[in-house]
Structure formats: C-alpha cells, structure tokens
Amino acid sequence: MFKPYYEEENITIYNGDCLEVMKEFPDKSIDLIVTSPPYNMRLRIRNGEYTQREMGAHFSKKYKNFKDALPMEEYYKIHSQALREMLRVSPIVFWNIQIVTGSKEAIFKIIGDFSREITDIIVWDKGFGQPSMNKGVLNRGYELIIALEADRKNGRTFNKYYFGRGTLQDIWRLGRGGNGSFNTHTAIFPKSLVNNLLENWTRPGDTILDPFLGSGTTARACKDLGRKCVGIEISKEYCDIAVKRLGQEVLNLND
C-alpha cells in the first residue's frame, strides 16, 4: 500500500507511478480528475524514423530524470491504461494534452478508442505558438482539454455541471502557462484553467485527483477554492515543489 508523501487538511500527495497508485483507489471515489500527462516531447523524427532527441538544456526540461521519449506504441499503451483507470475512479476526466510529433499518432488513436467516452473538447488558446524546431511545421499555439465521462450518453450534454445555458465557451483564451516563482517546471497549465474547471464542474468539498501532479497547480487551485485534492507525482523533486506552493499564503497571479 502506498503511503502519502505529504498530507495536510484536504490535500494528499503521493510520490509514485500513477498507474500503481490509482489501483488502490475504490471505484468512483473521486469527483473529478484534471491532469496533463507528459507530452513525449523528445521523441522526434530523423530520416523518416522515430528517434530520441539529444538531451539539451534548451529543450523539454520538464523532468531531469525522465527522457519524455517513449516509443509511440508504449506511449499509447500507458496513457490508454491511465485513462481507463481514471474513468474507473472518477465519473469525469479533463485530460489536457498537446499534439506534438512524439504524441500525435498515439493521441489520435486514443481519441478514436475513447470516442464513446469523450463528451466534448475545450481549446486552450495560448495566444501564440513558440517557433517550431523544424521547417515545414506549424507553430503550436493551443492545447486541448478533452472531457471524458465514464457513463456517457449520446450527445454533448455533460452528466453533471454547474454552468448556465449559453454561458461557457469552448475556447479559453488564457495565455501561456506559468508558475511564477516556481519556474523549474516548464510544461504546466495556468491555475486559471484549473479554476475554470473546478468552478463549472465541482462544488466546495468535492474531491479532485491529478495523477500527473507536476509542480502542484491543481493542488494549489483546490486549496484556494475549497476542494479536496489527491495528487500523484512520480518525481520527488516536483512533489517538494508542490508542497512549497501549498505552503505559500499569498501567491503571484500565475502561481
């Protein structure tokens, strides 16, 4: 049994592999999941074949000890399993992903596999895309937030929601992510994104899970909005950063 790495009132963080940790959670024990898994940024194409990009300080610094370059089939398998497990423990999942070279085939395959469970897609408009690494490639100025539900019905109506008819758009112009003074994690969503999800799909006291917690944006948003949070993060370094963020009484706007 996994022991919590950190606990405070309404917040629990586990340091471990989310697939292993989630196995210990009962069915439907979580009210909502919001998460952003690794993008597989270091899997590139050279001479028409997939290859790992060299480790470089200028590129994909999310994890020091994680290459973020899984073979495409392994990336597909791991994240398909993770989504199945998420939909077992929670009725609704918001899965934030970016379609890059190292994930494109796997993500489109996953979208097809989960077409029944997908309720809708929100576009996070970052305002601009960083310059592409290669010629002939579009700059990526958006990410997707795919909403999946375990007990789907036909159509696009959510089973449970707290927004009024005609009040919520599917394009969220939030700019780029940032975590203020905690800038060692370079692939995070803004806290305003998590706030939007919590305010429109949950109520105070609900339990939120982020199985790829990273530097703790979801946990911090839950603490600020009165939600309970369970976070899972494989990197001890980022668990420690998340704990520090939770300890701050006043945060910068992007924290």
Side-chain angles (χ1 to χ4, degrees), residues 28-162:
K28 300 296 184 288
S29 56
I30 301 294
D31 294 300
L32 177 143
I33 292 176
V34 53
T35 198
S36 181
Y39 297 161
N40 222 32
M41 290 288 286
R42 291 186 185 276
L43 186 67
R44 313 300 292 172
I45 291 179
R46 181 179 297 161
N47 298 324
E49 300 292 335
Y50 285 111
T51 185
Q52 292 185 15
R53 174 175 284 274
E54 299 84 355
M55 299 291 282
H58 68 290
F59 192 81
S60 187
K61 298 182 289 184
K62 183 174 181 181
Y63 290 111
K64 290 182 179 178
N65 299 314
F66 176 60
K67 292 183 178 181
D68 203 23
L70 295 173
M72 190 66 70
E73 189 61 27
E74 186 175 350
Y75 186 87
Y76 162 75
K77 181 179 179 181
I78 287 173
H79 291 291
S80 295
Q81 291 174 342
L83 277 172
R84 293 290 180 200
E85 197 66 6
M86 291 182 219
L87 290 167
R88 179 186 67 79
V89 303
S90 176
I92 185 166
V93 175
F94 288 93
W95 194 55
N96 168 222
I97 50 94
Q98 186 178 41
I99 299 171
V100 299
T101 298
S103 67
K104 186 189 76 165
E105 290 183 31
I107 286 174
F108 283 123
K109 191 173 180 180
I110 287 170
I111 288 173
D113 292 346
F114 286 84
S115 61
R116 176 66 182 171
E117 289 84 3
I118 293 173
T119 304
D120 215 329
I121 296 177
I122 299 165
V123 176
W124 163 21
D125 179 359
K126 296 181 173 183
F128 68 95
Q130 292 181 335
S132 167
M133 300 291 292
N134 294 305
K135 296 179 180 179
V137 178
L138 299 174
N139 297 341
R140 182 69 74 226
Y142 72 91
E143 296 191 20
L144 301 178
I145 307 160
I146 300 179
L148 305 96
E149 292 182 286
D151 302 313
R152 277 301 306 136
K153 301 178 177 64
N154 292 332
R156 294 169 52 228
T157 303
F158 286 91
N159 292 328
K160 187 177 181 181
Y161 56 93
Y162 297 104

Side-chain angles (χ1 to χ4, degrees), residues 112-236:
D113 292 346
F114 286 84
S115 61
R116 176 66 182 171
E117 289 84 3
I118 293 173
T119 304
D120 215 329
I121 296 177
I122 299 165
V123 176
W124 163 21
D125 179 359
K126 296 181 173 183
F128 68 95
Q130 292 181 335
S132 167
M133 300 291 292
N134 294 305
K135 296 179 180 179
V137 178
L138 299 174
N139 297 341
R140 182 69 74 226
Y142 72 91
E143 296 191 20
L144 301 178
I145 307 160
I146 300 179
L148 305 96
E149 292 182 286
D151 302 313
R152 277 301 306 136
K153 301 178 177 64
N154 292 332
R156 294 169 52 228
T157 303
F158 286 91
N159 292 328
K160 187 177 181 181
Y161 56 93
Y162 297 104
F163 55 89
R165 182 181 68 83
T167 62
L168 192 60
Q169 299 294 326
D170 62 358
I171 298 178
W172 294 1
R173 295 178 174 88
L174 304 174
R176 305 191 69 81
N179 56 358
S181 57
F182 299 98
N183 58 6
T184 58
H185 196 306
T186 61
I188 69 169
F189 41 47
K191 191 159 78 68
S192 56
L193 185 153
V194 185
N195 289 348
N196 283 355
L197 295 173
L198 299 185
E199 290 170 346
N200 287 291
W201 278 275
T202 72
R203 282 292 181 256
D206 283 355
T207 300
I208 315 304
L209 169 65
D210 187 342
F212 296 93
L213 184 65
S215 59
T217 303
T218 299
R220 183 69 230 193
C222 287
K223 184 171 184 175
D224 292 345
L225 294 179
R227 274 65 168 174
K228 300 174 184 177
C229 182
V230 178
I232 308 170
E233 172 54 43
I234 199 167
S235 164
K236 182 179 180 297

Side-chain angles (χ1 to χ4, degrees), residues 235-250:
S235 164
K236 182 179 180 297
E237 176 187 3
Y238 287 120
C239 286
D240 290 338
I241 293 173
V243 171
K244 289 179 181 178
R245 294 181 74 186
L246 289 168
Q248 276 199 328
E249 293 185 6
V250 179

